[in-house]
Amino acid sequence: MLPHLQKSISHTPATIMLRVLMISCAILLLSLLPAPTESTNYQFDDGGGSAAESSSSDAVYIVYMGAANPDNFAAKETVLNSLLERRETDVLRRYSHGLSGFAAYLSATEAQSIAACPGVVSVFRSSNLKLHTTRSWDFLQELQSESDAVPPSSCRSNKQPDSSNVVIGIFDSGIWPESESFRLQGTNPSVPRGWNGTCMAGRNFNITACNGKIIGARYYTNISDTPRDLDGHGTHVASTAAGVAVGKASYYDGLAAGTARGGSESARIAVYKVCQRRDCPAWLLLGAFDDAIAEGVDVISLSLGSDDSGDFLRDPLALGAFHAVEHGIAVVCAGGNSGPRPSTISNDAPWIVTVGASTVDRAFRSNILLGGGQGEWIGLAGLISRSPIYPLTDGRSAKKGNVSFSAARYRSCEPNSLSKEKMEGKIVICDVKDGGFEYDYDDQLREVFSKGGLGVIVVKNISKRVTESLWDIPITAVGSREAAQLMAYIKATRKPLATILPTVVVGNYTPAPEVAFFSSRGRSNNSAHIIKPDITAPGVNILAAWTGDDDLDKPKGRPQSSFYLDSGTSMSCPHVTGVAADIKALNPSFTPSAIKSAIMTTGTNNLGSRITTHTGEEASPYDLGAGELNPMGSLNPGLVYETDVTHHLLFMCYYGYDTNTVSWISKVARSSNFSCPPDSRSDLISNLNFPSISVGLTGANRTRTVPRVLTNVAGNGNWTYKAVVEFGGAARSSNHKLCFALT
């Protein structure tokens, strides 16, 4: 249920409505469409409640009816007409460009009835998806110079590709158009040929905001009244992907100072505001895909996703992405921030470029002066004195006497646990531990600040390098080892004293790159025969443009910083998006699969020592995919693994969908009379021409032939390529042998 979309509906008796709907489907569609075979498995998802539980309250459901073609349109209109006769205002969106279907308020009973209609592929409740630099691009360039995973030198060029004819669609929280990152370079504001988009005026957003750099802006009235970004996330993502160079950019007080730029500086930006307050309704997301396909974007960037990587027919992002790819649009998605646990990867459909997050060689440190610890959490400024003159205590020692909490809750400085008398004027150690990337420390920190604490030392281990919200009172972070030293100092000293020094930038920080602890990991829960993520890119402490009125992260009495440090696969995703746009600019004929292959096959993981995880262990393909993004190398990959739509159709067959279902989903399948092979076992997914190979060898079957076809895109010339295999997962520690048979 989407609370902001709920409304009161007057119902005709359910039994009558159900009968009318079923008759309409059965009679009118038979003359228009080939009837589904008995083996068709329609998909229905009521969001967890039974029909009886949900029938008294409507929710938003997505009725997905496959590709946009005349047959599917006829089916859609038939089902819609039956619904519109009763409740015209309850149809929220019709999908008509890349895909067919609609979103509407339905009861669970009605949704289940519609799911049985001919032409309906799946019906599922609309969920809320979530929104998941001065250094990062330079760091990636330096990695390239150390790597041999690049094309021959005569293929390489240091010239920035002209991407002015490439349009990047940003599906996010909107944009702050006044940012310097989005100024028009040059004097030509004309839009690329073939662009059919629009610039919607809205609250505090005039159409003049579309200045030639920003060429499209859409918002959806169900969640917003303006394309303007009121959150910051969308602006940060857009500037990382395609922002122009801005000199002397920094976070407060010159932190992370340098030139901020996007990956594809000349690319155009089209904004689709599908998120508000970091919630992204699924039915609006599908609508944005529908609009972007019609309007002519070249690459779509989605720094959002769901924690539920369920069946593809109920995954709005996977469905929308499939139709975009079928129309020649590359789709790049964040892999999620649910790591480091295995099998947490999201957006794992094989037609998507799924991105993990890594660190760069820069860190931030606010040192504690007493000789016992160093922190890496941004504080706007240190304490007034650089000498250790401030009393030091911990949460358990400052506990409030009239409440009964566990020792762990006192140590973590939980709300209402601490005494103002015992905290005022002191630096307090709060042992909040690591609760995953989405863990919220704000309540604990406010407990200290509200009780008069001068500063906070947070105990957190794996997430020390990730900066958090900006605070007016100095704050830093230590790991458990340093915390033990601090506690020993407190116990051994009659009047323990300390100070927190101002934050400084630490350059040449090693190891780097390192897979970020929060980056979601494979393997895919949908199929063991695909490897995800596909690639990894910088996603920790990335400096990029920000909204101009963010009061939440602004220090009191100071103007808002126009740049912000943020972390997540949301930040790594637009790095890959920018590179994808440059590949498209340099190679206009490249398909989405060729772009994906170029990015993956040039990924770097051979810099003398292997890329590691936050634990120091060697990262596997399930941690980082094909390696770290290589921007220049990917522009000229030499060879690519082409995976056309037919391979994706075969994937659906091997995944378990029948011919009838696949033919509804894909316009190519319908037009070519595609049929699933009689042998459609799931392990045959390994035979599809993906740039990575996942093979399961069990029981007596210890030999497997896996074909791959490579396409030369290097042009004329005599090139020599050496085949090298990198084992990952279980194969790494086994005695498998690999034989090549090149034809």
Side-chain angles (χ1 to χ4, degrees):
M1 177 66 71
L2 303 179
H4 56 288
L5 296 177
Q6 292 181 26
K7 60 190 293 189
S8 176
I9 303 296
S10 298
H11 293 281
T12 309
T15 54
I16 297 176
M17 300 315 305
L18 185 64
R19 187 172 300 117
V20 171
L21 188 60
M22 293 293 286
I23 291 174
S24 174
C25 291
I27 296 176
L28 296 183
L29 288 180
L30 285 176
S31 61
L32 298 172
L33 301 167
T37 63
E38 292 183 0
S39 61
T40 299
N41 294 317
Y42 64 82
Q43 302 287 332
F44 171 72
D45 180 11
D46 69 353
S50 68
E53 293 169 335
S54 304
S55 60
S56 62
S57 176
D58 286 7
V60 178
Y61 282 85
I62 295 169
V63 180
Y64 172 63
M65 305 184 73
N69 59 51
D71 287 346
N72 295 27
F73 286 152
K76 179 186 71 176
E77 291 306 312
T78 301
V79 177
L80 264 174
N81 288 338
S82 178
L83 184 63
L84 291 174
E85 288 176 3
R86 299 170 288 136
R87 300 199 312 247
E88 183 173 355
T89 60
D90 288 352
V91 177
L92 299 171
R93 171 71 194 234
R94 304 185 190 201
Y95 310 122
S96 304
H97 301 299
L99 59 146
S100 181
F102 60 91
Y105 287 103
L106 300 170
S107 69
T109 302
E110 292 169 326
Q112 191 165 14
S113 174
I114 289 176
C117 290
V120 174
V121 178
S122 61
V123 178
F124 53 94
R125 196 164 172 171
S126 177
S127 59
N128 262 343
L129 288 80
K130 298 291 183 180
L131 291 170
H132 275 251
T133 97
T134 51
R135 181 59 192 156
S136 58
W137 290 109
D138 293 338
F139 176 63
L140 290 173
Q141 281 190 330
E142 291 168 13
L143 288 185
Q144 174 201 318
S145 65
E146 301 176 42
S147 170
D148 64 6
V150 293
S153 59
S154 59
C155 286
R156 297 199 300 268
S157 170
N158 291 321
K159 184 180 179 181
Q160 187 79 6
D162 179 7
S163 304
S164 58
N165 287 323
V166 178
V167 182
I168 298 176
I170 304 290
F171 290 16
D172 215 286
S173 62
I175 198 165
W176 192 264
E178 292 82 8
S179 170
E180 283 191 80
S181 296
F182 308 125
R183 71 181 187 276
L184 177 65
Q185 289 184 311
T187 58
N188 182 16
S190 61
V191 301
R193 182 180 302 174
W195 172 247
N196 300 310
T198 186
C199 187
M200 295 174 62
R203 179 168 54 90
N204 298 324
F205 192 98
N206 298 323
I207 59 173
T208 54
C210 293
N211 59 357
K213 175 63 174 177
I214 303 170
I215 63 171
R218 278 188 176 274
Y219 65 93
Y220 298 90
T221 55
N222 303 86
I223 62 165
S224 181
D225 59 359
T226 178
R228 182 171 292 279
D229 183 10
L230 304 177
D231 176 272
H233 192 274
T235 300
H236 198 282
V237 165
S239 64
T240 302
V244 302
V246 179
K248 298 181 180 179
S250 71
Y251 197 37
Y252 286 100
D253 295 331
L255 287 172
T259 298
R261 60 185 176 89
S264 184
E265 294 184 51
S266 56
R268 312 301 182 102
I269 297 172
V271 177
Y272 298 83
K273 186 174 181 179
V274 297
C275 304
Q276 183 84 317
R277 295 181 296 277
R278 304 216 169 192
D279 284 337
C280 316
W283 68 274
L284 284 182
L285 180 67
L286 270 178
F289 273 113
D290 206 38
D291 291 333
I293 291 169
E295 292 174 348
V297 303
D298 298 289
V299 182
I300 295 176
S301 186
L302 298 108
S303 289
L304 52 92
S306 171
D307 292 334
D308 179 16
S309 57
D311 187 279
F312 293 123
L313 293 185
R314 294 192 295 269
D315 183 341
L317 198 152
L319 292 173
F322 174 80
H323 292 291
V325 169
E326 197 173 32
H327 283 79
I329 303 169
V331 179
V332 184
C333 295
N337 302 324
S338 299
R341 292 179 293 110
S343 297
T344 51
I345 195 75
S346 63
N347 300 328
D348 57 350
W351 44 85
I352 291 172
V353 183
T354 309
V355 187
S358 60
T359 63
V360 298
D361 62 343
R362 178 185 64 190
F364 300 93
R365 179 166 290 161
S366 301
N367 289 342
I368 304 161
L369 186 58
L370 55 74
Q374 292 181 326
E376 297 172 10
W377 192 330
I378 283 186
L380 180 58
L383 287 158
I384 295 174
S385 174
R386 288 178 173 266
S387 300
I389 63 172
Y390 304 101
L392 177 65
T393 189
D394 68 293
R396 190 171 182 181
S397 300
K399 66 182 180 180
K400 189 185 295 185
N402 60 348
V403 295
S404 179
F405 286 159
S406 66
R409 294 180 68 183
Y410 285 122
R411 286 197 302 268
S412 69
C413 305
E414 287 203 7
N416 301 314
S417 68
L418 305 183
S419 164
K420 179 177 176 64
E421 292 73 24
K422 296 177 181 179
M423 289 183 53
E424 195 165 18
K426 297 180 181 180
I427 299 172
V428 183
I429 302 171
C430 295
D431 191 351
V432 299
K433 297 299 186 188
D434 286 293
F437 185 63
E438 300 295 340
Y439 192 81
D440 187 0
Y441 302 105
D442 291 5
D443 290 340
Q444 287 94 330
L445 301 178
R446 288 194 176 92
E447 173 73 359
V448 175
F449 299 160
S450 66
K451 301 294 177 61
L454 287 182
V456 183
I457 300 172
V458 179
V459 182
K460 55 202 296 260
N461 289 318
I462 61 177
S463 58
K464 283 195 302 179
R465 287 193 61 186
V466 178
T467 63
E468 300 286 347
S469 298
L470 183 65
W471 294 83
D472 289 334
I473 295 178
I475 184 168
T476 190
V478 298
S480 295
R481 184 175 61 180
E482 294 88 355
Q485 296 173 354
L486 291 172
M487 293 305 299
Y489 168 70
I490 290 174
K491 292 177 181 178
T493 308
R494 186 166 176 265
K495 291 185 177 181
L497 301 173
T499 193
I500 299 173
L501 300 180
T503 301
V504 295
V505 177
V506 179
N508 299 316
Y509 191 95
T510 57
E514 178 183 272
V515 178
F517 78 93
F518 58 78
S519 185
S520 291
R521 307 302 212 266
R523 64 184 181 180
S524 166
N525 284 314
N526 274 312
S527 174
H529 302 286
I530 55 176
I531 296 176
K532 291 285 182 172
D534 296 306
I535 196 73
T536 296
V540 176
N541 301 339
I542 304 301
L543 186 81
W546 199 249
T547 176
D549 64 350
D550 183 7
D551 291 330
L552 293 177
D553 287 323
K554 182 176 71 174
K556 295 176 182 177
R558 300 191 61 174
Q560 173 67 41
S561 173
S562 56
F563 289 86
Y564 187 79
L565 286 163
D566 210 353
S567 299
T569 55
S570 283
M571 285 63 251
S572 54
C573 171
H575 280 83
V576 177
T577 301
V579 171
D582 279 353
I583 295 172
K584 184 69 175 179
L586 199 61
N587 307 277
S589 64
F590 269 25
T591 63
S593 68
I595 293 172
K596 178 179 178 180
S597 176
I599 290 170
M600 291 179 64
T601 57
T602 56
T604 60
N605 188 16
N606 53 355
L607 309 178
S609 59
R610 309 287 289 182
I611 296 176
T612 63
T613 68
H614 67 281
T615 64
E617 297 177 349
E618 183 178 327
S620 79
Y622 292 127
D623 298 315
L624 82 166
E628 185 78 359
L629 179 66
N630 184 342
M632 293 305 297
S634 62
L635 298 180
N636 295 283
L639 302 172
V640 296
Y641 296 85
E642 282 278 20
T643 310
D644 61 24
V645 174
T646 302
H647 289 90
H648 295 146
L649 302 183
L650 288 171
F651 170 81
M652 294 181 189
C653 297
Y654 301 157
Y655 183 73
Y657 303 142
D658 61 23
T659 296
N660 193 64
T661 301
V662 174
S663 67
W664 279 102
I665 295 172
S666 169
K667 64 175 185 177
V668 171
R670 177 65 63 87
S671 63
S672 64
N673 294 318
F674 173 86
S675 295
C676 288
D679 184 7
S680 290
R681 293 172 287 115
S682 63
D683 64 326
L684 293 176
I685 292 174
S686 300
N687 289 5
L688 300 177
N689 209 44
F690 300 142
S692 58
I693 303 173
S694 177
V695 181
L697 299 177
T698 59
N701 183 15
R702 307 298 293 174
T703 302
R704 178 77 183 275
T705 299
V706 178
R708 286 297 186 271
V709 176
L710 288 155
T711 302
N712 177 26
V713 294
N716 297 326
N718 296 319
W719 310 113
T720 300
Y721 295 93
K722 181 175 67 173
V724 177
V725 172
E726 176 179 314
F727 281 116
R732 177 174 292 165
S733 59
S734 67
N735 294 320
H736 292 305
K737 294 181 180 180
L738 184 70
C739 298
F740 288 104
L742 302 180
T743 58

